[in-house]
Every structure is written in C-alpha cells, then in structure tokens.
Amino acid sequence: MNNDIKNMRATLLTAKLRRNFTEWLRADADRLITAAEFVGGAEWQDRAISVSDAIARGAEPEEIYADLTALHRLLTLDCGSEINSLEGRYSLAIPSDDARAADAQLCAEAMERGLQAMRRYAASTAKEKT
C-alpha cells in the first residue's frame, strides 16, 4: 500500500512538472522564438513559432515532442557541432555577452527540465497501466 501512495505522489508531481512546462511554453513563447532565431536563424524561428502555435491551440507537448527535442538540441548548441552547417555558423557567431545568449540559455534549461518531466510522466503513467 505504501508503494502505491509513493507511486501516486510521484505521478502527481511529474504531471505538475509537465503542466508547468506547458504553461512555460505558452507564457514564454516569444522568448523561445527569439532564442531559436538568435541561435539558429529564420528556419528555427519558424519551427519555434510552429511549436508555440500548436501549444496555443491546445496541443499536448507529446504531440510536438520531436520539435521540442530539436529546439532543445539547438539551444544547447548540440546542433551546432558541425561547423559547415547553418546552425554551426550561427553558434560560432554568438557573442557570449549578448543578452539574447542569456535568454537562449534560460530557454535551453527550461526545455531540459520540461523534456525530463515529459519523459518521467510518460514512464509513470505507463507504470500505472501495468
């Protein structure tokens, strides 16, 4: 019985963290869009706009998981590891003292927390079904 209560609490906590991520995506959409454009250019700005529009229409974050993980990779400069790629050229040109770089870092951290919450929520709900 005690394990059931612990599992239920864990599920409720991960649901809350996932909900907080969705709320952040709504509230800070402009920051995410600006950060994506700053780090990756117009193509990434469009992708962030698409994510923002989907969330605004009521999409669940799991429905746009691929876009969220791609944006996270961009904001953590994981996409910029290839010098010859457009993202690589953008990441090389990012001045570290630019306020937009700090915003991009904040977005990357929020995305990291949110994606972790989504994975934990999926795992906890799958565990409940078994």
Side-chain angles (χ1 to χ4, degrees), residues 33-114:
I33 292 165
T34 300
E37 189 274 331
F38 176 67
V39 177
E43 180 182 328
W44 285 97
Q45 178 185 22
D46 291 344
R47 198 162 189 181
I49 290 169
S50 175
V51 163
S52 174
D53 289 347
I55 291 294
R57 286 190 312 272
E60 296 295 330
E62 290 79 9
E63 296 172 53
I64 54 172
Y65 185 78
D67 287 326
L68 291 170
T69 56
L71 283 166
H72 176 254
R73 287 187 65 231
L74 172 75
L75 294 172
T76 58
L77 303 179
D78 191 28
C79 290
S81 59
E82 290 204 17
I83 301 300
N84 295 328
S85 71
L86 179 62
E87 294 85 2
R89 289 192 300 274
Y90 269 94
S91 67
L92 287 174
I94 296 174
S96 60
D97 61 345
D98 191 312
R100 294 174 297 174
D103 276 350
Q105 178 64 35
L106 291 174
C107 288
E109 291 168 2
M111 296 287 286
E112 176 69 26
R113 288 189 304 273

Coordinates of all heavy atoms in Angstrom, one line a residue, residues 33-114:
I33 N 10.9 31.8 -29.2 CA 11.0 32.1 -30.7 C 12.3 33.0 -31.0 O 13.0 32.8 -31.9 CB 9.7 32.8 -31.1 CG1 8.6 31.8 -31.1 CG2 9.9 33.4 -32.5 CD1 7.2 32.4 -31.2
T34 N 12.5 34.0 -30.1 CA 13.6 34.9 -30.3 C 14.9 34.1 -30.1 O 15.9 34.3 -30.9 CB 13.5 36.1 -29.3 OG1 12.3 36.8 -29.6 CG2 14.7 37.0 -29.5
A35 N 15.0 33.3 -29.1 CA 16.2 32.5 -28.8 C 16.5 31.6 -30.0 O 17.6 31.4 -30.4 CB 16.0 31.7 -27.5
A36 N 15.4 30.9 -30.5 CA 15.6 30.0 -31.7 C 16.2 30.7 -32.9 O 17.1 30.3 -33.6 CB 14.3 29.3 -32.0
E37 N 15.6 31.9 -33.1 CA 16.1 32.7 -34.3 C 17.5 33.2 -34.0 O 18.4 33.1 -34.9 CB 15.2 33.9 -34.5 CG 15.4 34.7 -35.7 CD 16.5 35.8 -35.6 OE1 16.7 36.3 -34.5 OE2 17.2 36.1 -36.6
F38 N 17.8 33.6 -32.8 CA 19.2 34.1 -32.5 C 20.2 33.0 -32.7 O 21.3 33.2 -33.2 CB 19.2 34.6 -31.1 CG 20.5 35.0 -30.6 CD1 21.2 36.1 -31.1 CD2 21.2 34.4 -29.5 CE1 22.4 36.6 -30.7 CE2 22.4 34.8 -29.1 CZ 23.0 35.9 -29.6
V39 N 19.9 31.8 -32.2 CA 20.9 30.7 -32.3 C 20.9 30.0 -33.6 O 21.9 29.6 -34.1 CB 20.6 29.7 -31.1 CG1 21.5 28.5 -31.2 CG2 20.7 30.3 -29.8
G40 N 19.7 29.9 -34.3 CA 19.7 29.1 -35.5 C 19.2 29.7 -36.7 O 19.2 29.1 -37.8
G41 N 18.7 30.9 -36.7 CA 18.2 31.6 -37.9 C 16.7 31.5 -38.1 O 16.0 31.0 -37.3
A42 N 16.3 31.9 -39.3 CA 14.9 32.0 -39.6 C 14.2 30.7 -39.6 O 13.0 30.6 -39.2 CB 14.7 32.7 -40.9
E43 N 14.9 29.7 -40.1 CA 14.2 28.3 -40.2 C 13.9 27.8 -38.8 O 12.8 27.3 -38.5 CB 15.2 27.3 -40.8 CG 14.7 25.9 -40.9 CD 15.7 25.0 -41.5 OE1 16.5 25.4 -42.4 OE2 15.7 23.8 -41.1
W44 N 14.8 28.1 -37.8 CA 14.5 27.6 -36.4 C 13.5 28.6 -35.8 O 12.7 28.1 -34.9 CB 15.8 27.6 -35.6 CG 16.6 26.4 -36.0 CD1 17.6 26.3 -36.9 CD2 16.4 25.0 -35.6 NE1 18.0 25.0 -37.0 CE2 17.3 24.2 -36.2 CE3 15.5 24.5 -34.6 CZ2 17.4 22.8 -36.0 CZ3 15.6 23.1 -34.4 CH2 16.5 22.3 -35.1
Q45 N 13.5 29.8 -36.1 CA 12.4 30.7 -35.7 C 11.0 30.2 -36.1 O 10.1 30.1 -35.3 CB 12.7 32.1 -36.2 CG 11.6 33.1 -35.8 CD 11.8 34.5 -36.4 OE1 12.4 34.6 -37.4 NE2 11.2 35.5 -35.8
D46 N 10.9 29.8 -37.3 CA 9.7 29.3 -37.8 C 9.3 28.0 -37.1 O 8.1 27.8 -36.8 CB 9.8 28.9 -39.3 CG 9.9 30.2 -40.2 OD1 9.6 31.3 -39.7 OD2 10.3 30.1 -41.4
R47 N 10.2 27.2 -36.8 CA 9.9 25.9 -36.0 C 9.4 26.3 -34.6 O 8.5 25.6 -34.1 CB 11.2 25.0 -36.0 CG 10.9 23.6 -35.6 CD 12.0 22.7 -36.0 NE 11.6 21.3 -35.8 CZ 12.4 20.3 -36.0 NH1 13.7 20.6 -36.5 NH2 12.1 19.1 -35.9
A48 N 10.0 27.2 -34.0 CA 9.6 27.7 -32.6 C 8.2 28.3 -32.7 O 7.4 28.1 -31.8 CB 10.6 28.6 -32.0
I49 N 7.9 29.0 -33.8 CA 6.6 29.6 -34.0 C 5.6 28.5 -34.1 O 4.5 28.5 -33.5 CB 6.6 30.5 -35.2 CG1 7.3 31.8 -34.8 CG2 5.1 30.9 -35.6 CD1 7.6 32.7 -36.1
S50 N 5.9 27.5 -34.9 CA 5.0 26.3 -35.0 C 4.7 25.6 -33.7 O 3.6 25.3 -33.4 CB 5.7 25.3 -36.0 OG 4.9 24.2 -36.1
V51 N 5.8 25.4 -32.9 CA 5.6 24.9 -31.5 C 4.7 25.8 -30.7 O 3.7 25.3 -30.1 CB 7.0 24.7 -30.8 CG1 6.8 24.5 -29.3 CG2 7.7 23.5 -31.4
S52 N 4.9 27.0 -30.7 CA 4.1 28.0 -29.9 C 2.7 28.0 -30.4 O 1.8 28.0 -29.6 CB 4.7 29.4 -30.1 OG 3.9 30.3 -29.5
D53 N 2.5 28.0 -31.7 CA 1.1 27.9 -32.2 C 0.4 26.6 -31.8 O -0.8 26.7 -31.5 CB 1.1 28.1 -33.7 CG 1.5 29.5 -34.2 OD1 1.5 30.4 -33.4 OD2 1.8 29.6 -35.4
A54 N 1.1 25.5 -31.9 CA 0.5 24.2 -31.5 C 0.1 24.2 -30.0 O -1.1 23.8 -29.7 CB 1.5 23.1 -31.8
I55 N 0.9 24.7 -29.2 CA 0.6 24.8 -27.7 C -0.6 25.7 -27.5 O -1.5 25.5 -26.7 CB 1.8 25.2 -26.9 CG1 2.9 24.1 -26.9 CG2 1.5 25.5 -25.5 CD1 2.5 22.8 -26.3
A56 N -0.6 26.9 -28.2 CA -1.6 27.9 -28.0 C -3.0 27.3 -28.5 O -4.0 27.6 -27.9 CB -1.3 29.1 -28.9
R57 N -3.0 26.4 -29.5 CA -4.2 25.7 -29.9 C -4.6 24.6 -29.0 O -5.6 24.0 -29.3 CB -4.0 25.2 -31.4 CG -4.0 26.2 -32.4 CD -4.1 25.6 -33.8 NE -3.1 24.5 -34.1 CZ -1.9 24.6 -34.5 NH1 -1.4 25.8 -34.8 NH2 -1.1 23.6 -34.7
G58 N -3.8 24.3 -28.0 CA -4.2 23.2 -27.1 C -3.5 21.9 -27.3 O -3.9 20.9 -26.7
A59 N -2.5 21.8 -28.2 CA -1.8 20.6 -28.4 C -1.1 20.2 -27.1 O -0.6 21.0 -26.3 CB -0.8 20.7 -29.5
E60 N -1.0 18.9 -26.9 CA -0.2 18.4 -25.8 C 1.3 18.3 -26.2 O 1.6 18.1 -27.4 CB -0.6 16.9 -25.4 CG -2.1 16.9 -24.9 CD -2.3 17.6 -23.6 OE1 -1.4 17.7 -22.8 OE2 -3.4 18.1 -23.4
P61 N 2.2 18.5 -25.2 CA 3.6 18.6 -25.6 C 4.1 17.3 -26.3 O 5.0 17.3 -27.1 CB 4.3 18.8 -24.3 CG 3.3 18.8 -23.2 CD 2.0 18.8 -23.8
E62 N 3.5 16.2 -25.9 CA 3.9 14.9 -26.5 C 3.6 14.9 -28.0 O 4.3 14.2 -28.8 CB 3.1 13.7 -25.9 CG 3.6 13.4 -24.4 CD 3.0 14.4 -23.4 OE1 2.1 15.2 -23.7 OE2 3.5 14.3 -22.3
E63 N 2.6 15.7 -28.5 CA 2.3 15.7 -29.9 C 3.4 16.4 -30.7 O 3.4 16.2 -31.9 CB 0.9 16.4 -30.1 CG -0.2 15.7 -29.5 CD -1.5 16.6 -29.5 OE1 -1.9 17.0 -30.6 OE2 -2.1 16.8 -28.5
I64 N 4.1 17.3 -30.1 CA 5.2 18.0 -30.7 C 6.6 17.7 -30.2 O 7.5 18.5 -30.2 CB 4.9 19.5 -30.7 CG1 4.7 20.0 -29.3 CG2 3.7 19.9 -31.6 CD1 4.6 21.5 -29.1
Y65 N 6.7 16.5 -29.6 CA 7.9 16.1 -28.9 C 9.1 16.2 -29.8 O 10.2 16.7 -29.4 CB 7.8 14.6 -28.4 CG 8.9 14.2 -27.6 CD1 9.1 14.6 -26.3 CD2 9.9 13.3 -28.2 CE1 10.2 14.1 -25.5 CE2 11.0 12.9 -27.4 CZ 11.1 13.3 -26.1 OH 12.2 12.9 -25.4
A66 N 9.0 15.8 -31.1 CA 10.2 15.9 -32.0 C 10.6 17.3 -32.2 O 11.9 17.6 -32.2 CB 9.8 15.3 -33.4
D67 N 9.7 18.2 -32.3 CA 10.1 19.7 -32.4 C 10.7 20.2 -31.1 O 11.7 21.0 -31.2 CB 8.9 20.5 -32.8 CG 8.5 20.3 -34.3 OD1 9.4 20.1 -35.1 OD2 7.3 20.4 -34.6
L68 N 10.1 19.8 -30.0 CA 10.7 20.2 -28.7 C 12.1 19.7 -28.5 O 13.0 20.5 -28.1 CB 9.8 19.8 -27.6 CG 8.4 20.4 -27.5 CD1 7.5 19.7 -26.5 CD2 8.5 21.9 -27.2
T69 N 12.3 18.5 -28.8 CA 13.7 17.9 -28.7 C 14.7 18.6 -29.7 O 15.8 18.8 -29.3 CB 13.8 16.4 -28.8 OG1 13.2 16.0 -30.0 CG2 13.0 15.7 -27.6
A70 N 14.2 18.9 -30.9 CA 15.1 19.5 -31.8 C 15.4 20.9 -31.4 O 16.6 21.4 -31.5 CB 14.4 19.6 -33.2
L71 N 14.4 21.7 -30.9 CA 14.7 23.0 -30.3 C 15.7 23.0 -29.1 O 16.6 23.8 -29.0 CB 13.4 23.7 -30.0 CG 12.6 24.3 -31.1 CD1 11.2 24.6 -30.7 CD2 13.3 25.5 -31.7
H72 N 15.5 22.0 -28.3 CA 16.4 21.8 -27.2 C 17.8 21.6 -27.6 O 18.8 22.2 -27.1 CB 15.9 20.6 -26.3 CG 16.8 20.4 -25.1 ND1 17.6 19.3 -25.1 CD2 17.1 21.0 -24.0 CE1 18.4 19.3 -24.0 NE2 18.0 20.4 -23.3
R73 N 18.0 20.7 -28.6 CA 19.3 20.4 -29.2 C 19.9 21.7 -29.7 O 21.1 22.0 -29.6 CB 19.2 19.4 -30.3 CG 19.0 18.0 -29.7 CD 19.1 16.9 -30.8 NE 20.5 16.9 -31.3 CZ 20.8 16.9 -32.6 NH1 19.9 17.0 -33.5 NH2 22.1 16.9 -33.0
L74 N 19.1 22.5 -30.4 CA 19.6 23.8 -31.0 C 20.1 24.7 -29.9 O 21.2 25.2 -29.9 CB 18.5 24.4 -31.8 CG 18.8 25.9 -32.2 CD1 19.8 25.8 -33.4 CD2 17.6 26.6 -32.6
L75 N 19.2 24.9 -28.9 CA 19.5 25.8 -27.8 C 20.7 25.4 -26.9 O 21.3 26.3 -26.3 CB 18.3 26.1 -27.0 CG 17.1 26.8 -27.7 CD1 15.9 26.8 -26.9 CD2 17.5 28.2 -28.2
T76 N 21.0 24.1 -26.9 CA 22.1 23.7 -26.1 C 23.4 23.6 -27.0 O 24.4 23.1 -26.6 CB 21.9 22.3 -25.5 OG1 21.5 21.3 -26.5 CG2 20.8 22.3 -24.4
L77 N 23.2 24.1 -28.3 CA 24.2 24.1 -29.3 C 24.7 22.7 -29.7 O 25.7 22.5 -30.3 CB 25.4 24.9 -28.8 CG 25.1 26.4 -28.5 CD1 26.3 27.1 -28.0 CD2 24.4 27.1 -29.6
D78 N 23.9 21.7 -29.4 CA 24.2 20.3 -29.9 C 24.1 20.2 -31.4 O 24.8 19.5 -32.0 CB 23.2 19.4 -29.2 CG 23.6 17.9 -29.4 OD1 24.8 17.6 -29.6 OD2 22.7 17.1 -29.4
C79 N 23.2 21.0 -32.0 CA 23.1 21.1 -33.5 C 24.2 21.8 -34.1 O 24.5 21.6 -35.3 CB 21.8 21.8 -33.9 SG 20.3 20.9 -33.5
G80 N 24.9 22.6 -33.3 CA 25.9 23.5 -33.9 C 27.3 22.9 -33.9 O 28.3 23.6 -34.2
S81 N 27.4 21.6 -33.7 CA 28.7 20.9 -33.6 C 29.3 20.8 -35.0 O 30.6 20.6 -35.1 CB 28.6 19.6 -32.9 OG 27.7 18.7 -33.6
E82 N 28.5 20.8 -36.0 CA 29.1 20.7 -37.4 C 29.4 22.1 -37.9 O 28.4 22.9 -38.2 CB 28.2 20.0 -38.3 CG 28.1 18.5 -38.0 CD 27.7 17.7 -39.2 OE1 27.8 18.2 -40.3 OE2 27.3 16.5 -39.0
I83 N 30.6 22.5 -38.1 CA 31.0 23.8 -38.5 C 30.4 24.2 -39.8 O 30.0 25.4 -40.0 CB 32.5 23.9 -38.6 CG1 33.1 23.6 -37.2 CG2 33.0 25.3 -39.0 CD1 32.7 24.5 -36.1
N84 N 30.2 23.3 -40.7 CA 29.7 23.6 -42.1 C 28.2 23.8 -42.1 O 27.6 24.2 -43.1 CB 30.1 22.6 -43.1 CG 31.6 22.6 -43.3 OD1 32.3 23.6 -43.2 ND2 32.2 21.4 -43.5
S85 N 27.5 23.4 -41.0 CA 26.0 23.6 -41.0 C 25.7 25.0 -40.7 O 26.4 25.8 -40.2 CB 25.4 22.6 -39.9 OG 25.7 23.1 -38.6
L86 N 24.4 25.4 -41.1 CA 23.9 26.7 -40.8 C 23.9 27.0 -39.3 O 24.4 28.0 -38.8 CB 22.5 26.9 -41.4 CG 21.9 28.2 -41.1 CD1 22.7 29.3 -41.8 CD2 20.4 28.2 -41.7
E87 N 23.5 26.0 -38.5 CA 23.5 26.1 -37.1 C 24.9 26.3 -36.5 O 25.1 27.0 -35.6 CB 22.8 24.9 -36.4 CG 21.3 24.8 -36.8 CD 21.1 24.0 -38.1 OE1 22.0 23.6 -38.8 OE2 19.9 23.9 -38.5
G88 N 25.8 25.6 -37.1 CA 27.2 25.7 -36.7 C 27.8 27.1 -36.9 O 28.4 27.7 -36.0
R89 N 27.4 27.7 -38.0 CA 27.9 29.0 -38.3 C 27.2 30.0 -37.3 O 27.9 31.0 -36.9 CB 27.6 29.4 -39.8 CG 28.6 28.6 -40.7 CD 28.5 29.2 -42.1 NE 27.2 29.1 -42.7 CZ 26.7 28.0 -43.4 NH1 27.4 26.9 -43.5 NH2 25.5 28.1 -43.9
Y90 N 25.9 29.8 -37.1 CA 25.3 30.7 -36.1 C 25.9 30.6 -34.7 O 26.1 31.6 -34.1 CB 23.8 30.4 -36.1 CG 22.9 31.2 -37.0 CD1 22.6 30.7 -38.3 CD2 22.4 32.4 -36.7 CE1 21.8 31.4 -39.2 CE2 21.6 33.1 -37.6 CZ 21.3 32.6 -38.8 OH 20.6 33.3 -39.7
S91 N 26.1 29.3 -34.3 CA 26.6 29.2 -32.9 C 28.0 29.8 -32.8 O 28.3 30.2 -31.7 CB 26.6 27.7 -32.5 OG 27.5 26.9 -33.3
L92 N 28.8 29.7 -33.8 CA 30.1 30.4 -33.7 C 30.1 31.9 -33.6 O 30.9 32.5 -33.1 CB 31.0 30.0 -35.0 CG 31.5 28.6 -35.0 CD1 32.1 28.3 -36.4 CD2 32.4 28.3 -33.9
A93 N 29.0 32.4 -34.1 CA 28.8 33.9 -34.1 C 28.1 34.4 -32.9 O 27.9 35.7 -32.8 CB 28.1 34.3 -35.4
I94 N 27.8 33.6 -32.0 CA 27.0 34.1 -30.8 C 28.0 34.7 -29.8 O 28.9 34.1 -29.3 CB 26.3 32.9 -30.1 CG1 25.3 32.3 -31.0 CG2 25.7 33.3 -28.8 CD1 24.6 31.1 -30.5
P95 N 27.8 36.0 -29.6 CA 28.6 36.7 -28.6 C 28.1 36.3 -27.2 O 26.9 36.4 -26.9 CB 28.4 38.2 -28.9 CG 27.2 38.3 -29.7 CD 27.0 36.9 -30.3
S96 N 29.0 35.8 -26.3 CA 28.6 35.3 -25.0 C 28.0 36.5 -24.1 O 27.3 36.2 -23.2 CB 29.7 34.6 -24.3 OG 30.8 35.5 -24.1
D97 N 28.4 37.7 -24.4 CA 27.9 38.8 -23.5 C 26.6 39.4 -24.0 O 26.1 40.4 -23.5 CB 29.0 39.9 -23.4 CG 29.3 40.5 -24.7 OD1 29.0 39.9 -25.8 OD2 30.0 41.6 -24.7
D98 N 26.0 38.8 -25.1 CA 24.7 39.3 -25.6 C 23.6 38.8 -24.7 O 23.6 37.6 -24.4 CB 24.6 38.8 -27.1 CG 23.4 39.4 -27.8 OD1 22.3 39.5 -27.2 OD2 23.6 39.8 -29.0
A99 N 22.7 39.7 -24.4 CA 21.5 39.3 -23.5 C 20.7 38.2 -24.2 O 20.1 37.4 -23.5 CB 20.7 40.5 -23.2
R100 N 20.7 38.2 -25.5 CA 19.9 37.1 -26.2 C 20.6 35.7 -25.9 O 19.9 34.7 -25.9 CB 19.8 37.4 -27.6 CG 19.0 38.6 -27.9 CD 19.0 39.0 -29.4 NE 20.4 39.3 -29.8 CZ 20.8 39.6 -31.0 NH1 19.9 39.5 -32.0 NH2 22.0 39.9 -31.3
A101 N 21.9 35.7 -25.7 CA 22.6 34.4 -25.4 C 22.1 33.9 -24.0 O 21.9 32.7 -23.8 CB 24.1 34.6 -25.4
A102 N 22.0 34.9 -23.1 CA 21.5 34.5 -21.8 C 20.0 34.0 -21.8 O 19.7 33.0 -21.2 CB 21.6 35.7 -20.8
D103 N 19.2 34.6 -22.6 CA 17.8 34.2 -22.8 C 17.8 32.8 -23.5 O 17.0 31.9 -23.1 CB 17.0 35.1 -23.7 CG 16.4 36.3 -22.9 OD1 16.5 36.3 -21.7 OD2 15.9 37.2 -23.6
A104 N 18.7 32.5 -24.4 CA 18.7 31.2 -25.1 C 19.1 30.2 -24.1 O 18.6 29.1 -24.1 CB 19.7 31.3 -26.2
Q105 N 20.1 30.5 -23.2 CA 20.5 29.6 -22.1 C 19.3 29.3 -21.2 O 19.1 28.1 -20.8 CB 21.7 30.1 -21.3 CG 22.1 29.2 -20.2 CD 22.7 27.9 -20.7 OE1 23.3 27.8 -21.7 NE2 22.4 26.9 -19.9
L106 N 18.6 30.3 -20.8 CA 17.4 30.1 -19.9 C 16.4 29.2 -20.6 O 15.8 28.3 -20.0 CB 16.8 31.4 -19.5 CG 17.6 32.3 -18.6 CD1 16.9 33.7 -18.4 CD2 17.7 31.6 -17.2
C107 N 16.2 29.4 -21.9 CA 15.2 28.6 -22.6 C 15.7 27.1 -22.7 O 14.9 26.2 -22.6 CB 15.0 29.1 -24.0 SG 14.0 30.6 -24.1
A108 N 17.0 27.0 -22.9 CA 17.6 25.6 -23.0 C 17.4 24.9 -21.7 O 17.0 23.7 -21.7 CB 19.1 25.7 -23.3
E109 N 17.6 25.6 -20.6 CA 17.4 25.0 -19.3 C 15.9 24.6 -19.0 O 15.6 23.6 -18.5 CB 17.9 25.9 -18.2 CG 19.5 26.1 -18.2 CD 20.0 27.2 -17.4 OE1 19.2 27.9 -16.7 OE2 21.2 27.4 -17.4
A110 N 15.0 25.5 -19.4 CA 13.6 25.2 -19.2 C 13.2 24.1 -20.1 O 12.4 23.2 -19.7 CB 12.8 26.5 -19.6
M111 N 13.7 24.0 -21.3 CA 13.4 22.9 -22.2 C 13.9 21.6 -21.6 O 13.3 20.6 -21.7 CB 14.0 23.1 -23.6 CG 13.5 24.3 -24.4 SD 11.9 24.0 -25.0 CE 12.2 23.0 -26.4
E112 N 15.1 21.6 -21.1 CA 15.7 20.4 -20.4 C 14.8 19.9 -19.3 O 14.5 18.7 -19.3 CB 17.1 20.7 -19.9 CG 17.7 19.6 -19.1 CD 18.1 18.4 -20.0 OE1 18.3 18.6 -21.2 OE2 18.2 17.2 -19.5
R113 N 14.4 20.8 -18.4 CA 13.5 20.4 -17.3 C 12.2 19.9 -17.8 O 11.6 18.9 -17.3 CB 13.3 21.6 -16.4 CG 14.5 21.9 -15.5 CD 14.1 23.0 -14.4 NE 13.6 24.2 -15.0 CZ 14.3 25.2 -15.4 NH1 15.6 25.2 -15.4 NH2 13.6 26.3 -15.9
G114 N 11.6 20.6 -18.8 CA 10.4 20.2 -19.4 C 10.4 18.8 -20.1 O 9.5 18.0 -19.9

